[in-house]
Amino acid sequence: MPSNSKKTIEFLTENDLSSAIKGKNLSGCYCIFGEEQYLIKRHINEMLRLAVTDLAELNLMKFDGAVKAQTVYDAVTSFPVMSASRAVTLCDFPFDKASQSEIDKLFSAIADMPPTTVFIIWFETVQISQKKPGDRFLKLFSAVTESGGHVYCIGRKNTADIMRLLQSGAPRRKCRMEPTTARYMIDTCSDDLSTLINELEKLCFYVGEGGNISNETVDTVCSRSLEASVYNISRAVLKGDVAGAYKILDDLSFMNTDPAYILTILASSYIDIYRAYAAKCAGIRPEAAAKELGYFGTAFRMTDAERQLKDLSEKQITESLRCLCECDMAVKGSRVPGRTTLEKAVVQLALIARGRT
């Protein structure tokens, strides 16, 4: 058992993990969690390639949360077979629900593991808050660090980082992509890296070797995110592009999207703008405001909101929120079709943005 589960834990970042992998300096126990599962899985695969160089069928063992702690203990404390090292991974062990004896046995495995073992404890579906992980996860983190291991929190990348990943990913697949298209792809599809990499694979296959990926290619090939589509309504409205907003509404209606859902996401984009305005008045940067407001993994929303509010006054923001509130009551309490109510709200929001109300 760790001697002091309440001590401060130093959470390392994705950059720290990348540096350790590049330096080929892997040993001991690693605990990895966070929202960016694409990066977590990619880095774990890289770690396993470094740790297991011979006889993977004997020197690599992977376990999920249903495994008994004794089985993990036996695997972790065993020595490699005709190899310099071996690796053991444990995914989604239920530390918040397991018996104390099971947890103690896993802590013993961490404490007793030989230097020839690389032990990776990671979480895919178990959500852990970096700010308030809970006592049992804190004890796990303490056990790992006291053994000389490291705890990594792999958070979401911001928009600029994701754009760079897409732009560097296209040439590796022998294609081209401009920064504006990378940004358009995020706005259209998602900010989730797993989703974006899958879409990038489709795009590169579609344009072929040496091909250029354009906004039109994204529209032709990629699957649109519902949430991203709704956010694009607010972008179109603020630009005064009512026809563009209606086109997005047509697409969403074709997919039988609930008007109440559309309204909820649309309202949240304006709430983001209001919060960005309040942060700006207080002299707080969008990234700091996002962290303070709990926008974990979605900090890009505050940055986007700040960009959108540049031509809006406090009065216009207030009137827009009032319009959305009235629309909400109409959608939920009126016999008027929800689509009709949304179209009316789009026009009213566009007029407010133009300063004509």
Side-chain angles (χ1 to χ4, degrees):
M1 287 286 291
S3 59
N4 182 8
S5 62
K6 296 295 185 181
K7 78 173 191 176
T8 302
I9 304 296
E10 180 186 6
F11 294 107
L12 301 177
T13 67
E14 194 254 335
N15 288 336
D16 296 320
L17 185 54
S18 293
S19 296
I21 293 171
K22 287 178 182 177
K24 299 182 179 180
N25 184 26
L26 301 181
S27 64
C29 186
Y30 296 82
C31 183
I32 307 173
F33 70 97
E35 296 173 292
E36 199 51 82
Q37 286 298 315
Y38 169 78
L39 291 176
I40 289 175
K41 292 173 184 176
R42 189 181 77 177
H43 287 318
I44 288 175
N45 286 334
E46 291 171 345
M47 295 168 75
L48 296 179
R49 281 195 292 270
L50 289 174
V52 182
T53 55
D54 298 294
L55 298 175
E57 63 276 14
L58 297 175
N59 292 313
L60 173 59
M61 304 193 73
K62 298 181 179 181
F63 301 108
D64 60 25
V67 69
K68 292 294 183 182
Q70 183 63 53
T71 303
V72 179
Y73 180 92
D74 293 341
V76 168
T77 56
S78 297
F79 288 93
V81 178
M82 300 177 66
S83 178
S85 60
R86 73 195 314 265
V88 178
T89 67
L90 175 60
C91 177
D92 281 349
F93 187 83
F95 284 92
D96 55 339
K97 299 176 182 178
S99 68
Q100 191 59 55
S101 61
E102 286 284 286
I103 291 174
D104 289 345
K105 178 57 69 173
L106 281 172
F107 287 161
S108 297
I110 295 170
D112 297 343
M113 60 185 293
T116 51
T117 297
V118 173
F119 184 23
I120 303 171
I121 302 170
W122 67 290
F123 298 92
E124 180 178 17
T125 61
V126 177
Q127 300 298 313
I128 303 173
S129 168
Q130 183 177 354
K131 296 184 73 173
K132 296 181 179 179
D135 287 343
R136 287 199 169 186
F137 288 113
L138 281 174
K139 289 177 180 177
L140 166 65
F141 301 154
S142 292
V144 171
T145 55
E146 287 177 10
S147 73
H150 306 285
V151 181
Y152 295 88
C153 180
I154 313 298
R156 286 282 183 96
K157 293 284 190 181
N158 61 36
T159 302
D161 288 336
I162 297 174
M163 287 174 63
R164 282 191 288 270
L165 283 169
L166 290 173
Q167 285 179 262
S168 63
R172 285 200 298 270
R173 295 166 176 82
K174 300 181 180 180
C175 299
R176 302 188 309 277
M177 176 185 288
E178 296 296 325
T180 52
T181 300
R183 177 57 197 247
Y184 182 73
M185 191 174 168
I186 296 169
D187 290 343
T188 301
C189 303
S190 171
D191 69 315
D192 178 72
L193 266 182
S194 297
T195 300
L196 288 171
I197 296 301
N198 286 336
E199 296 298 331
L200 182 61
E201 295 283 358
K202 288 161 54 178
L203 287 165
C204 292
F205 179 79
Y206 180 81
V207 300
E209 185 174 332
N212 180 60
I213 299 170
S214 64
N215 290 9
E216 291 73 21
T217 318
V218 172
D219 287 335
T220 301
V221 175
C222 292
S223 302
R224 283 181 175 268
S225 156
L226 280 179
E227 187 168 332
S229 294
V230 178
Y231 269 104
N232 284 336
I233 293 177
S234 67
R235 293 188 179 97
V237 166
L238 292 171
K239 292 177 182 176
D241 183 9
V242 175
Y246 277 2
K247 174 63 170 61
I248 299 171
L249 278 177
D250 285 339
D251 293 341
L252 292 170
S253 296
F254 180 76
M255 293 185 289
N256 295 318
T257 309
D258 184 359
Y261 172 81
I262 297 174
L263 179 60
T264 298
I265 304 301
L266 182 60
S268 70
S269 68
Y270 275 85
I271 291 171
D272 290 341
I273 291 173
Y274 170 75
R275 288 173 171 171
Y277 175 78
K280 184 177 180 180
C281 290
I284 302 173
R285 291 183 60 80
E287 296 82 2
K291 185 175 181 180
E292 189 66 27
L293 291 167
Y295 281 52
F296 303 114
T298 55
F300 72 95
R301 283 170 43 187
M302 287 296 289
T303 306
D304 286 352
E306 186 193 44
R307 185 164 45 249
Q308 291 179 19
L309 68 80
K310 62 182 179 180
D311 295 324
L312 293 177
S313 66
E314 181 180 0
K315 180 182 178 182
Q316 287 172 307
I317 297 171
T318 302
E319 289 178 350
S320 297
L321 290 172
R322 184 179 295 114
C323 170
L324 288 163
C325 183
E326 292 171 355
C327 181
D328 180 68
M329 289 187 289
V331 166
K332 294 177 180 176
S334 172
R335 293 184 179 179
V336 177
R339 168 64 188 268
T340 303
T341 303
L342 283 170
E343 289 180 351
K344 180 181 177 182
V346 163
V347 173
Q348 289 176 326
L349 290 168
L351 290 173
I352 292 170
R354 294 174 187 172
R356 293 174 56 183
T357 62

